[in-house]
Amino acid sequence: MKIVGEQALLFGLILACFIARGCSQQAQPPQVPCFFIFGDSLVDNGNNNGMLTLARANYRPYGIDFPGGTTGRFTNGRTYVDALAQLMGFRRYIPPYSRARGPQLLQGVNYASGASGIRDETGDNLGAHSSMNAQVTNFGNTISEMRRLFRGDTNALSSYLSKCIFYCGLGSNDYLNNYFMPNFYTTSSDFTAKAYAAALIQDYTRQLTQLHSLGARKVIVTAVGPIGCIPYQLARYHGNSSRCNDNINKAILLFNTELRRLVDRFNGGQLQGAKFVYLDSYKSSLDLYQNGTANGFEVIDKGCCGVGRNNGQITCLPLQQPCNDRRKYLFWDAFHPTELANLLFAQASYGSSSYTYPTNIQQLAAL
């Protein structure tokens, strides 16, 4: 993800625009009519606020750099999908499902829930959450409400939805808060790493097929990032000379490989009219981790706030004082990237094919 020469100058100007939050103030309409988001805490923007769970971020210092302050986003500022929405021309952030009502639904909804996964039991160790199955159900409820807004014209609604972008980023917690938590879950003894990846893909295939049946056509599916490199794992890992826990990362790559193959099958005719994009957040995160200084990051193995070794034992404590210069940190807390890391990934995946397959997101929007 290192950028040099004239490209670096152009990228710097674009990024400065993002940091100044001026890029969302565009006169032209968005490139797509709506944006629907499914995922976990990497993109949750407040759905867990009213739940009985430890997976909540509706307190300071979370949101310290966000225009609306503390909202439930698990970072200091904008998430990846916030930045992506701005790049696509949306003037307002996509609202969380917990608050989205009426005509507001027409621009899209964010269903993401911290601690959630592809499997229903994933994240139960932290408390309540909306799994991917529940998020798909919630989307079905939204479609019922949208049908009324379209006065029952299902053809018009289907045509509208076919132009929208759908983002699906699940799987991280199926490893972090399931497979690699043997004291709480039995999956690591029930499945080999390869069999577990296959089981996840089987469930995810069904869920994505359900979304397609409800109207999704342009879909971004996200790889699981290198969890073995996050501060939470580094605080617990005592291994070889590698900075990261390679055993965790190898297991994740099994899932990612199968997810990319699933994208080929969907695009190859398994789902009629589908246009899927594989978003390689694993490669992007690893590039940032390995080339941090090239992107201004001086600290790549510790959270900007948190507790214990690597600030990775637990998440930020309420009212805890975070690091002063968040732009120098790759990670905000034990699990989540900083706003700047999110902005860099959004820009790279939107306009180039460095981390997207078979097209970038700008091209997907134009289809």
Side-chain angles (χ1 to χ4, degrees), residues 18 78-88 93 339 342-343 346-347:
F18 270 123
R78 285 161 288 176
T79 65
Y80 170 80
V81 293
D82 289 331
L84 190 57
Q86 288 183 305
L87 284 164
M88 291 191 294
Y93 298 111
E339 176 184 61
N342 288 327
L343 299 185
Q347 182 63 37

Side-chain angles (χ1 to χ4, degrees), residues 3 29 106 111 115 178 201 289:
I3 304 167
L106 294 174
Y111 304 91
N178 193 323
I201 290 296
Y289 193 80

Side-chain angles (χ1 to χ4, degrees), residues 34 36 102 105-109 111 139 141-152 157 160-161 164:
C34 48
F36 292 96
L105 303 174
L106 294 174
Q107 75 163 352
V109 179
Y111 304 91
F139 177 61
N141 295 335
T142 297
I143 294 302
S144 296
E145 291 189 52
M146 290 181 73
R147 198 172 289 122
R148 287 193 287 273
L149 295 173
F150 277 80
R151 301 183 184 277
L157 176 58
Y160 186 81
L161 291 171
C164 301

Side-chain angles (χ1 to χ4, degrees), residues 22-61:
C23 294
S24 61
Q25 308 303 318
Q26 300 178 21
Q28 64 267 33
Q31 295 161 21
V32 295
C34 48
F35 185 23
F36 292 96
I37 299 153
F38 304 81
D40 51 31
S41 59
L42 291 171
V43 292
D44 185 355
N45 63 346
N47 286 310
N48 276 22
N49 290 357
M51 295 184 186
L52 188 61
T53 176
L54 294 174
R56 285 167 56 169
N58 57 336
Y59 59 86
R60 295 296 291 265

